[in-house]
C-alpha cells in the first residue's frame, strides 16, 4: 500500500484540534489542489465559503447543533453554484431557465462532493485531520442566510480541519461483498440480518472499546431504532431547493 | 507538494487505455480503500456495480452515447443504496417510510461521490488513470434496468479505469478566487465577463493546442452556447427518483 492509500485507509473524523493554526500558505495550496478536482462537463458548478467570522461560526454551530464548530481551526462550506454560469449566460444575452434544472443542481452536488473529498485527501496527506459536516443542511435556509448565498446556490457539506488533538480508532465498515455487485445489484442470500451479522458484532465491539461516547449497539439495531425515532427534519429539503430558484419540473 | 497532492494536481480524464488488464488483486485492494470512505452518519447508503459483462457494457454505452465504454478495462457504477438499510429495518419489524425521504436520497448521493473520488485517488496513486461517467444517468431508468437495481437505489456516476494509453494535457480551471468566498459568497466585481476574461483566454488557448478534438472557444462562450442549445434531457430526473420509491414530499 502506498502513502496515499495508507492515509485513505486511515481516515477518521477528527472533532478535536490543536491550538496550532494552519498556515495561510498551506490553506492556499490545499485550495489549489481542490481546484483541480474533476467537474461535471467542466462546468465547475460549485463554490466554497471560508468561514472565519466568529459570529457566523456561532450561527452555523446552532444550525448544526454541534458546539465544536466554533473551535475548528479551518472551516469551508461547499455549495452548489449554478449562479456563476447563469450570470455568464445572462451577460451574453441568454434569457431562459436552462440553469434552473435539477440536472444542473445534481451536477453542482457532484462537483461539490468530488472537490470536498479531494480537499480532505490533501489535508490528510499532510498529517492533518478533518470532518465532514452534513449537519449544515439541517436547516438549509438558515445556512443560506448565514452565508449570504444568491439564487441557484445551495449548501452541500462543510469541511472542518486542522492539526488533530485526538486519534480515534478507525470506525469499521461493513464487508465490501455487501456493497459490490458483479453485473448487478449485490443481493444478499436469504436474510439481510444474517448477511449483516458479522458487521453487527464488529460494530458492537467497536462501541464497547471506543474511548468516548460509549454506546454498545449493533449496526442493524441502530438502523432499526433510527427508523422508529424517525427524525425527518430534512425530508422536505426539496422545498428549500425550489426556494433557491431550481425547477423541480421543467417543461 | 507531496506525492498524493502531485497526483491530485495531475488529474486528467483518461478515455483510452492499454490492453494490460488490471490485476484482480489490485482491484480488490482498491475496493478496500473505497470502503474506508467517509459516509453520512455511518449509514453506508451506497453500493457499486462492477460491470464486466460485454452485453451490459454495450447497453450502458448506448445510454451514455460513448462507444469507448465497452473498451474500458475496469468499470464501476456507483449507486445510491437505501434498499439495504430499508431491508434491515423491515427485517426487524419496522413498517414505515423513513428510508424513502429525499434526505436519505441525498445522503446516498454524498456517500457515492465521496467513495467514487476516493477510488479515483487510489487509482491515480498507482499510476493508473480513469474517468468519471456522469452520462450513465442520461436515461436513469434504462441504467436501472441494465444493472437490475431494486427500489430505493439510483445510479449516480460511473468510474472507468485502467493503465492509460494517452497523456492528455491538464484542463485549466478558473481561478480559485472566483470559487472561494470569505464568510460569504464570492461575488465578482462589476461584470462577470470581465471577471472570467483571463480564464476565457486560457481555455481558448487550451483548446487550440489540445491533441484531439480541436475546439477553440472561450469558457463563457461555451456556457452561453450550451444554454442556447439547451439539452434538457435530464431536467426531469426527479421523475425517475420518484419511480425508484423516493417521496419528493414527506408529511
Amino acid at each position: 500500500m502506498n502513502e496515499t492509500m495508507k492515509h485513505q485507509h486511515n481516515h477518521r473524523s477528527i472533532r478535536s484540534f490543536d491550538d496550532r493554526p494552519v498556515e495561510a500558505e498551506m490553506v492556499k495550496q490545499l485550495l489549489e489542489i481542490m481546484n483541480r478536482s474533476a467537474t461535471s462537463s467542466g462546468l465547475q458548478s460549485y463554490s466554497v465559503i471560508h468561514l472565519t467570522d466568529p459570529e457566523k461560526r456561532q450561527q452555523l454551530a446552532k444550525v448544526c447543533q454541534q458546539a465544536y464548530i466554533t473551535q475548528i481551526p479551518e472551516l469551508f462550506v461547499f455549495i452548489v453554484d449554478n449562479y456563476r454560469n447563469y450570470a455568464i449566460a445572462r451577460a451574453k444575452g441568454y434569457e431562459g431557465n436552462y440553469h434552473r434544472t435539477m440536472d444542473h443542481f445534481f451536477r453542482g452536488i457532484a462537483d461539490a462532493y468530488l472537490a470536498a473529498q479531494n480537499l480532505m485527501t490533501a489535508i490528510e496527506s499532510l498529517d492533518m485531520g478533518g470532518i465532514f459536516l452534513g449537519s449544515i443542511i439541517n436547516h438549509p435556509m438558515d445556512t443560506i442566510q448565514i452565508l449570504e448565498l444568491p439564487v441557484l446556490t445551495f449548501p452541500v457539506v462543510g469541511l472542518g480541519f486542522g492539526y488533530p488533538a485526538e486519534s480515534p480508532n478507525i470506525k469499521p465498515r461493513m464487508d465490501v461483498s455487501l456493497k459490490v455487485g458483479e453485473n448487478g445489484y449485490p443481493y444478499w442470500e436469504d436474510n439481510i440480518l444474517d448477511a449483516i451479522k458479522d458487521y453487527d458484532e464488529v460494530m458492537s465491539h467497536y462501541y464497547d472499546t471506543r474511548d468516548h461516547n460509549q454506546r454498545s449497539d449493533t449496526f442493524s439495531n441502530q438502523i432499526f431504532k433510527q427508523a422508529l425515532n424517525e427524525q425527518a427534519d430534512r425530508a422536505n429539503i426539496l422545498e428549500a431547493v425550489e426556494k433557491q430558484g431550481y425547477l423541480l419540473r421543467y417543461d
Side-chain angles (χ1 to χ4, degrees), chain A:
Chain A
M1 225 188 267
N2 61 38
E3 281 302 306
T4 301
M5 291 162 83
K6 271 185 209 158
H7 272 110
Q8 289 183 292
H9 191 268
N10 206 30
H11 170 75
R12 289 93 43 93
S13 294
I14 300 296
R15 292 175 178 83
S16 170
F17 299 91
D18 246 17
D19 286 340
R20 179 177 168 198
V22 184
E23 301 78 355
E25 191 47 49
M26 196 175 266
V27 173
K28 211 178 139 193
Q29 202 183 16
L30 286 168
L31 292 174
E32 290 293 339
I33 295 296
M34 176 200 78
N35 196 25
R36 290 290 320 133
S37 303
T39 156
S40 178
S41 301
L43 295 176
Q44 301 163 74
S45 41
Y46 75 103
S47 285
V48 190
I49 317 300
H50 188 201
L51 210 61
T52 57
D53 181 61
E55 202 174 313
K56 293 195 174 214
R57 285 277 196 114
Q58 206 113 43
Q59 291 167 352
L60 196 67
K62 223 167 139 184
V63 171
C64 299
Q65 293 191 281
Q66 283 159 323
Y68 70 87
I69 281 175
T70 58
Q71 305 300 323
I72 303 177
E74 294 290 341
L75 178 57
F76 287 86
V77 179
F78 288 77
I79 63 170
V80 168
D81 186 1
N82 285 294
Y83 177 67
R84 186 168 46 234
N85 290 346
Y86 166 83
I88 288 171
R90 292 262 142 174
K92 294 229 165 212
Y94 176 71
E95 294 186 338
N97 284 317
Y98 184 55
H99 302 93
R100 295 184 183 277
T101 67
M102 285 307 285
D103 181 31
H104 278 84
F105 180 76
F106 282 118
R107 285 172 191 267
I109 297 253
D111 286 3
Y113 278 119
L114 295 178
Q117 178 56 60
N118 244 350
L119 181 55
M120 180 67 91
T121 297
I123 287 162
E124 291 175 338
S125 81
L126 294 165
D127 290 322
M128 292 188 287
I131 184 165
F132 289 118
L133 299 161
S135 51
I136 61 151
I137 51 165
N138 282 352
H139 304 286
M141 295 315 293
D142 289 352
T143 302
I144 286 162
Q145 199 187 357
I146 295 164
L147 302 179
E148 304 170 44
L149 301 184
V151 292
L152 300 185
T153 61
F154 202 84
V156 178
V157 69
L159 199 179
F161 69 97
Y163 292 96
E166 61 174 354
S167 181
N169 287 336
I170 289 179
K171 193 169 181 181
R173 302 283 186 238
M174 66 180 72
D175 198 83
V176 162
S177 61
L178 277 163
K179 285 180 190 160
V180 181
E182 287 292 316
N183 293 307
Y185 186 80
Y187 289 100
W188 45 86
E189 293 188 15
D190 304 324
N191 193 318
I192 181 67
L193 296 182
D194 287 340
I196 205 86
K197 214 178 96 189
D198 289 350
Y199 183 55
D200 270 348
E201 279 169 24
V202 170
M203 280 303 280
S204 181
H205 179 72
Y206 164 75
Y207 286 126
D208 278 344
T209 57
R210 186 157 91 150
D211 326 10
H212 338 282
N213 198 359
Q214 297 229 354
R215 172 179 57 146
S216 175
D217 205 352
T218 63
F219 179 77
S220 57
N221 258 339
Q222 283 180 46
I223 295 297
F224 177 57
K225 283 195 279 182
Q226 283 169 13
L228 283 184
N229 311 326
E230 53 173 74
Q231 297 193 319
D233 294 357
R234 295 198 217 163
N236 286 317
I237 187 171
L238 286 179
E239 281 177 11
V241 173
E242 204 170 11
K243 273 187 192 145
Q244 282 301 95
Y246 287 97
L247 304 168
L248 305 191
R249 276 203 56 83
Y250 189 74
D251 300 300

